[in-house]
Amino acid sequence: MAENGGVMKKIKTCLSDLNFVIGSIVARAVVLTCSLLVAVCAPAMADENQVDIEAELTACASPCVTVPGAEGELEYKAEFLNDGITVKEVKIQAVVTIPVPNILGIAATNSRAAGLVVIDLTRLNRSSQLAEPYATCTMVFKKAQATSLTYALTLSAKLKKGQFVADKKSRGFCDIDLITADVQTGIPVIQDGDFAFVSVNDTDILSSLPRPIGDGCIEACCGCWDY
């Protein structure tokens, strides 16, 4: 990773089984073919002005670190005005559970550290054929149990009298502009074909990528956005 205007910017390759440096930016390898990276799961929306997306966050191949028992899920809902562009109401929520003990060294004593668990939302750049993050969401500690730690993200907002008003019961935050310095808070617009990576202390542990199966092939549409 390299700094871009004071903001850490990450890039994931769209090439299978490669991990290399692009300029001064270290790429995250994605063990996935380019065609599968943009695979489209047919939407089944209630109507043309609504989007409802769900994804399981599961263990991913290298360079992710496998943390047995770690799991998560992400849900995104949006409702648009009749123009199909203006957002009327939107909500994103995610939950990640990390077992205790774990190889990450995360325990009850340090589980509340700020920025410990984040979700990178990525999208294919068709010019460079790289999957680039367009938003980073920081989760917050929710609860501790004897054998697990749970982190949550909940952001929602509604259009009221021409202004977008955020729900006061939000958990965590998202930076929706990784190019501009400092944090530009908001709710990202998730699209079909996007992928999410969960990292703990900058170590990827989960993703919404299709999971590799026995012979090294990719299980079609497993882990991609479900409509």
Side-chain angles (χ1 to χ4, degrees):
M1 294 184 290
E3 298 206 9
N4 184 351
V7 177
M8 298 299 287
K9 183 176 181 181
K10 309 169 191 172
I11 290 182
K12 298 182 178 68
T13 70
C14 181
L15 300 176
S16 177
D17 299 320
L18 293 181
N19 189 2
F20 53 96
V21 176
I22 303 175
S24 61
I25 301 175
V26 178
R28 267 187 202 159
V30 174
V31 186
L32 189 66
T33 66
C34 290
S35 59
L36 280 174
L37 185 61
V38 293
V40 174
C41 300
M45 296 178 285
D47 60 55
E48 61 183 8
N49 292 328
Q50 293 184 11
V51 174
D52 190 353
I53 299 175
E54 295 180 354
E56 291 185 4
L57 302 171
T58 58
C60 46
S62 176
C64 293
V65 172
T66 299
V67 180
E71 60 182 4
E73 58 184 26
L74 184 149
E75 183 176 3
Y76 174 83
K77 294 183 178 182
E79 183 177 350
F80 299 83
L81 297 181
N82 291 333
D83 61 8
I85 299 174
T86 306
V87 177
K88 178 181 178 182
E89 185 174 353
V90 64
K91 182 175 184 178
I92 181 173
Q93 56 185 4
V95 175
V96 169
T97 301
I98 301 173
V100 176
N102 56 72
I103 62 174
L104 301 171
I106 307 301
T109 54
N110 60 358
S111 60
R112 298 175 182 271
L116 183 67
V117 181
V118 303
I119 299 176
D120 287 327
L121 298 173
T122 70
R123 181 172 299 150
L124 181 71
N125 181 322
R126 297 187 181 279
S127 297
S128 64
Q129 289 299 301
L130 298 176
E132 300 178 352
Y134 62 87
T136 295
C137 297
T138 300
M139 307 185 77
V140 296
F141 177 81
K142 183 178 180 181
K143 65 180 179 180
Q145 295 180 315
T147 59
S148 66
L149 302 168
T150 301
Y151 295 83
L153 172 74
T154 302
L155 299 173
S156 61
K158 295 181 179 180
L159 189 65
K160 295 182 178 180
K161 297 181 179 180
Q163 294 186 336
F164 219 44
V165 181
D167 192 327
K168 295 181 179 179
K169 296 181 180 180
S170 297
R171 290 175 178 263
F173 64 91
C174 292
D175 184 353
I176 59 173
D177 184 353
L178 303 183
I179 301 299
T180 304
D182 300 322
V183 176
Q184 313 299 314
T185 58
I187 299 178
V189 178
I190 296 177
Q191 299 178 4
D192 183 34
D194 294 352
F195 286 94
F197 283 80
V198 176
S199 65
V200 178
N201 275 341
D202 292 326
T203 299
D204 292 336
I205 66 168
L206 302 172
S207 83
S208 64
L209 286 169
R211 286 172 283 188
I213 54 181
D215 60 359
C217 296
I218 298 297
E219 185 176 351
C221 250
C222 176
C224 60
W225 304 124
D226 293 324
Y227 287 83

